[in-house]
């Protein structure tokens, strides 16, 4: 099912903003400064043996401590998943990953971990499976979207270091 069909079927309507293609948070920040909502970074990780897969949603300026996160989640050695796994489990290319990618995880093979600061925001930004568009999702609709996909988020303070102190949470 396409993202537009899924959203229409479940009666989701999010404001959509078109922009040039971006593959990194840095590129996106310079192109989409006027888009409301909380910016975030989405990382697709896997355990050492490739049995567990985790989508981690954090502040764009946070460098995650993967060793600490592995310990917190009880996973042996988290690392970045391959492009092939990204396509297989979330149906997207690098640079287009977002919570909306979970529509392709129909077997609930992917665990969702969201940083507390992102979860506390009133609105978050997300690519609708393409890196030339961004939608703004209200918190209540994010919860409803996750329920529709069968995903229960683990919300925690993700360990890591902020790379700069610029405020990343914007309210719509």
């Amino acid at each position: 099912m396409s993202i537009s069909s899924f959203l229409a079927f479940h009666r989701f309507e999010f404001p959509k903003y078109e922009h040039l293609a971006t593959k990194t948070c840095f590129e996106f920040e310079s192109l989409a400064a006027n888009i409301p909502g909380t910016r975030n970074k989405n990382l697709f990780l896997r355990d050492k043996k490739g049995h567990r897969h985790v989508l981690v949603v954090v502040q764009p300026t946070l460098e995650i401590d993967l060793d600490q996160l592995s310990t917190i989640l009880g996973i042996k050695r988290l690392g970045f998943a391959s492009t092939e796994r990204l396509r297989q489990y979330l149906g997207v290319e690098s640079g287009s990953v977002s919570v909306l990618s979970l529509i392709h995880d129909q077997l609930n093979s992917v665990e969702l971990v969201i940083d507390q600061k992102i979860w506390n925001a009133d609105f978050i930004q997300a690519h609708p499976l393409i890196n030339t568009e961004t939608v703004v999702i209200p918190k209540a609709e994010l919860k409803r979207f996750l329920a529709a996909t069968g995903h229960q988020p683990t919300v925690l303070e993700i360990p890591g270091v902020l790379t700069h102190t610029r405020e990343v949470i914007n309210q719509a």
Side-chain angles (χ1 to χ4, degrees):
M1 176 180 283
S2 73
I3 187 67
S4 56
S5 298
F6 182 91
L7 296 176
F9 178 80
H10 291 283
R11 299 178 196 258
F12 289 108
E13 292 184 28
F14 306 131
K16 181 171 69 172
Y17 299 84
E18 295 181 1
H19 49 77
L20 295 175
T22 60
K23 287 215 172 219
T24 67
C25 291
F26 179 76
E27 289 175 6
F28 182 75
E29 185 174 337
S30 63
L31 287 175
N34 296 324
I35 297 176
T38 301
R39 291 185 179 91
N40 54 81
K41 173 170 64 176
N42 300 270
L43 305 173
F44 188 54
L45 308 173
R46 50 102 189 112
D47 70 347
K48 180 180 179 178
K49 294 189 178 190
H51 297 299
R52 287 178 69 182
H53 296 84
V54 184
L55 176 59
V56 179
V57 183
V58 299
Q59 298 175 72
T61 58
L62 184 69
E63 287 186 25
I64 297 175
D65 183 326
L66 291 177
D67 291 335
Q68 282 187 12
L69 184 58
S70 295
T71 300
I72 291 168
L73 296 176
I75 298 175
K76 288 201 181 214
R77 211 173 93 202
L78 275 174
F80 290 94
S82 66
T83 302
E84 292 77 24
R85 285 180 190 270
L86 181 59
R87 282 188 208 113
Q88 177 185 350
Y89 288 92
L90 295 179
V92 294
E93 298 296 322
S94 179
S96 297
V97 182
S98 77
V99 293
L100 298 178
S101 307
L102 293 171
I103 69 160
H104 293 297
D105 180 34
Q106 296 177 354
L107 299 176
N108 286 7
S109 303
V110 177
E111 300 170 46
L112 175 62
V113 176
I114 300 179
D115 185 74
Q116 186 72 53
K117 288 187 172 117
I118 301 298
W119 186 253
N120 289 344
D122 293 331
F123 300 86
I124 70 160
Q125 297 175 357
H127 288 310
L129 313 189
I130 185 168
N131 65 359
T132 57
E133 296 176 359
T134 297
V135 296
V136 177
I137 307 172
K139 173 77 166 283
E141 292 296 276
L142 175 61
K143 289 178 179 180
R144 196 166 73 82
F145 173 82
L146 295 175
T149 65
H151 290 85
Q152 178 67 38
T154 298
V155 179
L156 54 93
E157 189 172 320
I158 306 275
V161 175
L162 289 173
T163 56
H164 60 76
T165 59
R166 181 181 159 149
E167 181 66 34
V168 296
I169 299 189
N170 300 319
Q171 299 300 321

